[in-house]
Amino acid sequence: ASMARIATAAGVSKPTLYSYFQDKEGLFVALIQHLTQDNSRLLTDPSALDMALPPNQMLRRMVKSILKDSSHNKNFLTLMRLIIGESEKFPTLAQTFVQEVSKPMLERLAAYLGAHPQLNLPDPAVAARVIAGTVVHYLITQEIMHGDEIFPMDVDRMVDGLIDLVMLAGDAPQLSSTAD
C-alpha cells in the first residue's frame, strides 16, 4: 500500500500522515509496537508467569494462551505476514519485531526455565527458542499458510506433546558436547 492509500484509508491527508511518520517504515514500526503491546503480555509481564505453579502446568497454560490469543487475532497474523514478506525490503521493521516481541519473550521464558532447576535443562535459552519456534511454526503452518485444512493438528495435542518433550528433555542424559 502506498502512503496515499494509507492516508485515505485512515481518513487523513498524506501530509498529516507524514507529520506523524517519516516514511512507510516508520509507520510499520509504530504499527508493530501498537499491535504487539498486548500480544506479548504473558511473557513480558513479570506477574503473568506464576513461579509457584509446577513448570508443566505453567508452560502448558502459557503456550495454550499464546496460541489461542494469536490464532484468533487476525491483525497479529496479518502483521506476521507483513513482517515476513517485507523483512528484506525493510530490515528495520523485522528487527523492531525481534526487539519488541521476540527478545523480551525469549529472555523471560529462558529466565523462567532457568529458575526451575528441577527441569534440569542444560541451556534454558535454547529450550526457550525451541518452545517459541514450535509455537511460531504452528501459527505459520496452521494459521498463516492455511495448513489446518491440509495437515491439521489439534492445538491441545500439539501443546501437550511440546510440554511432554520439554519435561522429558531434562530427564534425558546430556549428549551435547563442545568437542567433535
Side-chain angles (χ1 to χ4, degrees):
S2 69
M3 290 295 270
R5 285 184 61 199
I6 293 168
T8 301
V12 299
S13 69
K14 194 171 163 185
T16 300
L17 192 60
Y18 276 109
S19 72
Y20 287 98
F21 309 103
Q22 182 179 354
D23 53 22
K24 191 185 293 188
E25 190 169 5
L27 175 64
F28 285 160
V29 167
L31 180 64
I32 289 172
Q33 291 168 339
H34 174 73
L35 289 176
T36 58
Q37 285 173 348
D38 292 331
N39 290 314
S40 60
R41 183 199 61 77
L42 187 63
L43 287 174
T44 57
D45 179 1
S47 65
L49 290 176
D50 185 350
M51 297 297 236
L53 275 179
N56 64 328
Q57 291 177 19
M58 183 60 220
L59 291 170
R60 186 170 278 108
R61 183 172 87 175
M62 177 200 66
V63 172
K64 279 186 179 182
S65 176
I66 290 170
L67 285 172
K68 181 181 149 233
D69 293 348
S70 298
S71 62
H72 295 304
N73 187 336
K74 298 304 176 195
N75 288 335
F76 185 73
L77 294 174
T78 299
L79 176 65
M80 284 183 66
R81 281 185 194 97
L82 176 71
I83 291 167
I84 292 168
E86 298 294 331
S87 63
E88 188 170 335
K89 192 187 323 183
F90 299 110
T92 304
L93 174 69
Q95 290 172 332
T96 299
F97 185 84
V98 171
Q99 181 69 36
E100 298 290 325
V101 178
S102 298
K103 184 177 185 239
M105 178 190 70
L106 289 169
E107 287 173 345
R108 185 77 179 129
L109 182 55
Y112 175 82
L113 295 171
H116 288 83
Q118 71 271 31
L119 289 173
N120 195 31
L121 295 170
D123 191 337
V126 170
R129 286 179 183 236
V130 168
I131 293 168
T134 301
V135 169
V136 169
H137 179 268
Y138 185 88
L139 287 172
I140 289 173
T141 59
Q142 296 297 295
E143 301 294 335
I144 293 176
M145 297 173 64
H146 309 287
D148 57 331
E149 299 168 9
I150 300 165
F151 194 49
M153 171 64 70
D154 177 70
V155 71
D156 290 326
R157 179 180 172 202
M158 197 281 304
V159 171
D160 290 343
L162 173 61
I163 302 312
D164 289 346
L165 284 172
V166 171
M167 299 307 292
L168 289 171
D171 294 335
Q174 302 306 312
L175 303 175
S176 62
S177 143
T178 55
D180 286 326

